[in-house]
Amino acid sequence: MARGNDDAAKVQNGGKVKHSPKLCGTNYPLSIAFIVVNEFCERFSYYGMKAVLTLYFINYLHWDKDLSTAVYHAFSSLCYFTPVLGALIADSWLGRFKTIIYLSLVYVLGHVVKSTGAIPAVGENVTHVVLSMTGLVLIAFGTGGIKPCVAAFGGDQFEKEHTEERRKFFSIFYMAINAGSLLSTIITPILRGDVQCFGGDCYALAFGVPAALMIIALVVFVAGSTLYTKSPPGGNVLLDVCKCIGFALRNRWRNSSREPRRAHWLDWAQEKYSKRLIYEIKMVLRVLVLFIPLPMFWALFDQQFSILILPWLFCFLTLSCQMLNSLLILVFVPIFDMILYPLIGLCKIKFITFSNSPWKSSPMTRYLLSPALSSLLIFTCSYSLFPEVCVAARRGLTGLSVVSARFVNTLPESLNVSVAAGVDFEIREDFGVSAAKSVARGQYKEVRCNAGLKEYSVDLGLLDFGASYTIVLKEVSGLRAFKMLDIQANDVHITWQIPQYVLITAAEVMFSVTGLEFSYSQAPPNMKSVVQAGWLLTVAFGNVIVLIVAEGAGLKQWMEFLLFASLLIVVCIIFSIMAHLYTYVSPEQLDTMFQDGDGVKV
């Protein structure tokens, strides 16, 4: 089994430990700059592709809303289940560095295949669907496989005495994730909508730019290869763990009635396996058990993006909310790290971060995992206090002064409708339906319509805030417009959602950054990627909960929010008890505890 990061970093010449040069006289290794830039580009690639994915399904592949939403959720879930595979490859076979390299190549290939599927000239619709699904599967394995490895690899770069710098690295790492998300959700929709190619929206370019960013991410990561501290794989860790657990269970079943009771059920494996391995498995299992209630947080959190998806109206508000969330994270992370947490520390409140937890395991030091618990409570409040405002604001969907409209042409000839400057609708004859487009709120008294050599003027009346209209054009004493209201105008201004997003983002910062740090600091050196994957699995199971409840229960929106908030209150109570009983450990001290992988130093 691997003995720790320091042993892994030893080089052949003299057994000295190889460390990366430091950044500007600090204790931060230079190598983390390459890792942070790599993560920024990779997240730009991932979120940039996802920003237009649902529109691609609906407008390009011509899927309906339900199928598009289901595939979107399935892809998102797969991206958080595949980290288990990447973690096992890294910890048992290739090591984190090589795993990131090889799976990044799979990631790039997936983007190339996905972009190729968005080129109309490539083939028929079936070809586009096959290429798109193949590309998404490759992307899911690529992004999921490297996800647990990159964070753990970044933590490996720090010397064990620099725990405070490593803690702050995870905050910087999370900021890089959201900086990439913020820029990508601005740029890729612009590339899709404002750039025309192949006679329509340029999805090939919108997917091609994220592919280029993933190539840059790979190049940047490889460029820093000479600076990295690289921990070798610890052998077939999964097989050793499974064999140890299996032997302990069998031995306990056969001999528990004849031998004295042991402190832990895993101690029944001591006849065959080292005490060090048994202790490491105990560490991992304690952390994974603690993760069991956490998917409920993500079940609520991820709905802020998915619940807004509608066939022709989701784009503006969904992307705006994603950008607001990412922007607030970039603001909150330094505020929490440099102001909020130190102030709480000055008040002598037991609000600790995981990596700085004391080694002693007495009841006085079994502090509540307050960052995670506090975030759960804040998130519950954000959905419990404002359910009516939330639903009312979301009913408008397009928000601010944007209106959605589409036209139905009952004439026997095609029509061109010019609603405003730069907003034209081309409608085929005989009940042809135009694509939905966004227009500004206002009175439209004289809208020009051209049908061949004929020219008409129609009165559309008021197109109100946040509403969606289907307008039927009929020839009755000239051309007349009959409006149908698909979605009502806003009753509540969408800016009422800002307080909710402030609370949600504060919860995410406290919850997610702390989870990354905790997963690394509480894992043994040879299982850090596996524990990171366990943390990411909480996101995957959160999406599964949404699919089960949202798709199967058939509840109204406000009832669904109330159900999730109530469940989260119950989870908070359970989690607080589990957290109080949790004993903090220091994996870096394993080498001082055990001699020759087995005996305990007294």
Side-chain angles (χ1 to χ4, degrees):
M1 306 297 292
R3 303 279 287 176
N5 292 340
D6 289 338
D7 290 340
K10 288 183 179 179
V11 293
Q12 298 298 323
N13 52 343
K16 295 181 180 178
V17 177
K18 175 186 174 182
H19 294 299
S20 174
K22 297 300 188 286
L23 275 169
C24 303
T26 67
N27 289 325
Y28 291 93
L30 180 60
S31 55
I32 67 166
F34 293 89
I35 296 172
V36 169
V37 173
N38 164 268
E39 185 66 14
F40 167 82
C41 294
E42 187 273 326
R43 291 291 87 185
F44 186 109
S45 170
Y46 176 75
Y47 286 110
M49 180 273 299
K50 283 189 71 177
V52 296
L53 190 58
T54 305
L55 285 178
Y56 172 77
F57 290 154
I58 294 168
N59 296 334
Y60 190 85
L61 299 182
H62 306 295
W63 291 353
D64 60 29
K65 180 196 68 157
D66 293 334
L67 178 59
S68 300
T69 304
V71 173
Y72 180 90
H73 274 293
F75 169 70
S76 298
S77 296
L78 184 60
C79 290
Y80 284 96
F81 279 112
T82 50
V84 176
L85 178 62
L88 294 176
I89 293 173
D91 285 346
S92 301
W93 182 25
L94 295 177
R96 286 187 268 277
F97 176 74
K98 288 183 178 179
T99 301
I100 294 170
I101 296 292
Y102 294 152
L103 290 181
S104 291
L105 292 173
V106 174
Y107 200 164
V108 169
L109 178 61
H111 271 301
V112 172
V113 173
K114 184 76 185 69
S115 302
T116 304
I119 300 175
V122 167
E124 301 297 328
N125 190 61
V126 174
T127 304
H128 297 154
V129 171
V130 171
L131 288 174
S132 298
M133 294 303 100
T134 303
L136 287 178
V137 170
L138 291 173
I139 290 171
F141 277 96
T143 187
I146 69 174
K147 199 184 293 285
C149 302
V150 177
F153 191 67
D156 289 346
Q157 306 309 305
F158 292 85
E159 300 167 39
K160 62 182 181 182
E161 62 267 22
H162 298 149
T163 55
E164 179 63 18
E165 286 79 6
R166 187 181 64 200
R167 184 188 69 79
K168 290 182 178 179
F169 160 75
F170 286 109
S171 296
I172 297 169
F173 185 82
Y174 203 70
M175 289 180 68
I177 292 174
N178 286 277
S181 170
L182 176 63
L183 289 179
S184 66
T185 50
I186 295 172
I187 294 172
T188 51
I190 293 174
L191 295 175
R192 176 201 64 84
D194 293 357
V195 178
Q196 298 293 305
C197 62
F198 306 107
D201 288 345
C202 201
Y203 287 102
L205 180 62
F207 291 138
V209 170
L213 262 293
M214 189 56 220
I215 294 172
I216 294 172
L218 179 57
V219 171
V220 169
F221 186 76
V222 172
S225 59
T226 58
L227 300 174
Y228 298 138
T229 298
K230 302 170 187 175
S231 299
N236 200 331
V237 178
L238 178 62
L239 183 61
D240 290 341
V241 170
C242 292
K243 285 182 176 179
C244 182
I245 292 174
F247 181 81
L249 292 173
R250 290 193 305 271
N251 196 28
R252 182 187 183 190
W253 174 263
R254 294 168 183 168
N255 302 314
S256 59
S257 60
R258 299 192 301 269
E259 296 184 17
R261 185 176 180 180
R262 302 186 184 182
H264 193 280
W265 63 269
L266 271 172
D267 292 336
W268 288 94
Q270 288 178 354
E271 285 83 353
K272 186 175 181 180
Y273 293 92
S274 69
K275 292 181 180 179
R276 181 188 179 106
L277 175 60
I278 294 171
Y279 190 82
E280 288 174 342
I281 296 174
K282 289 178 183 178
M283 290 170 59
V284 172
L285 291 180
R286 280 198 297 264
V287 174
L288 295 182
V289 168
L290 197 64
F291 286 167
I292 290 174
L294 303 186
M296 189 55 64
F297 174 89
W298 299 114
L300 268 75
F301 180 83
D302 285 343
Q303 289 186 73
Q304 65 179 307
F305 304 129
S306 64
I307 204 68
L308 303 174
I309 295 175
L310 283 177
W312 57 85
L313 289 179
F314 102 44
C315 184
F316 179 82
L317 183 55
T318 302
L319 299 181
S320 296
C321 292
Q322 287 177 337
M323 287 187 286
L324 177 61
N325 174 257
S326 298
L327 183 62
L328 286 173
I329 286 174
L330 295 177
V331 173
F332 281 171
V333 167
I335 290 176
F336 278 46
D337 264 0
M338 294 187 289
I339 300 175
L340 181 61
Y341 293 157
L343 283 177
I344 293 174
L346 289 175
C347 296
K348 297 183 180 180
I349 297 175
K350 293 178 181 178
F351 191 92
I352 60 173
T353 55
F354 295 115
S355 63
N356 291 331
S357 302
W359 167 249
K360 296 179 182 179
S361 58
S362 65
M364 290 298 292
T365 58
R366 294 178 182 179
Y367 296 136
L368 183 65
L369 306 185
S370 47
L373 178 59
S374 299
S375 64
L376 291 173
L377 293 172
I378 292 173
F379 199 91
T380 302
C381 291
S382 71
Y383 267 89
S384 299
L385 295 177
F386 308 111
E388 294 180 0
V389 172
C390 182
V391 174
R394 283 177 175 169
R395 192 171 66 222
L397 288 175
T398 51
L400 302 179
S401 60
V402 180
V403 182
S404 177
R406 61 177 178 172
F407 289 84
V408 178
N409 176 21
T410 63
L411 275 62
E413 51 195 349
S414 61
L415 274 174
N416 174 271
V417 180
S418 181
V419 176
V423 184
D424 295 323
F425 294 81
E426 296 290 341
I427 323 165
R428 293 180 178 177
E429 67 279 1
D430 297 327
F431 294 92
V433 182
S434 72
K437 293 186 179 181
S438 297
V439 298
R441 188 256 189 194
Q443 291 280 352
Y444 293 86
K445 295 292 186 181
E446 297 180 356
V447 175
R448 290 189 298 106
C449 304
N450 296 312
L453 299 176
K454 299 179 183 178
E455 184 171 319
Y456 303 93
S457 179
V458 296
D459 182 6
L460 301 183
L462 174 65
L463 301 183
D464 206 357
F465 288 115
S468 174
Y469 299 92
T470 296
I471 303 169
V472 181
L473 299 174
K474 291 184 178 181
E475 194 166 19
V476 182
S477 301
L479 192 65
R480 293 186 60 188
F482 297 87
K483 283 194 304 185
M484 294 187 293
L485 189 62
D486 299 323
I487 295 179
Q488 294 182 0
N490 282 345
D491 296 308
V492 178
H493 201 281
I494 197 171
T495 53
W496 278 104
Q497 282 194 300
I498 292 178
Q500 298 174 64
Y501 274 92
V502 170
L503 293 177
I504 289 170
T505 306
E508 181 188 2
V509 169
M510 301 174 74
F511 186 86
S512 197
V513 176
T514 306
L516 282 172
E517 178 195 345
F518 175 67
S519 302
Y520 184 88
S521 67
Q522 297 295 287
N526 57 336
M527 301 185 198
K528 290 190 181 295
S529 295
V530 171
V531 177
Q532 287 282 334
W535 165 251
L536 294 170
L537 274 178
T538 64
V539 183
F541 284 112
N543 275 280
V544 171
I545 292 172
V546 174
L547 286 173
I548 293 172
V549 175
E551 301 297 330
L555 300 174
K556 293 182 179 179
Q557 192 66 73
W558 69 269
M559 294 177 65
E560 198 173 298
F561 284 149
L562 184 61
L563 172 64
F564 277 109
S566 301
L567 289 174
L568 191 54
I569 291 174
V570 174
V571 166
C572 285
I573 296 171
I574 296 171
F575 184 71
S576 64
I577 297 171
M578 295 173 66
H580 182 71
L581 298 175
Y582 182 79
T583 303
Y584 293 98
V585 296
S586 176
E588 287 76 12
Q589 297 189 18
L590 284 174
D591 287 335
T592 63
M593 291 177 61
F594 296 96
Q595 292 178 326
D596 300 324
D598 191 29
V600 181
K601 268 190 176 181
V602 181

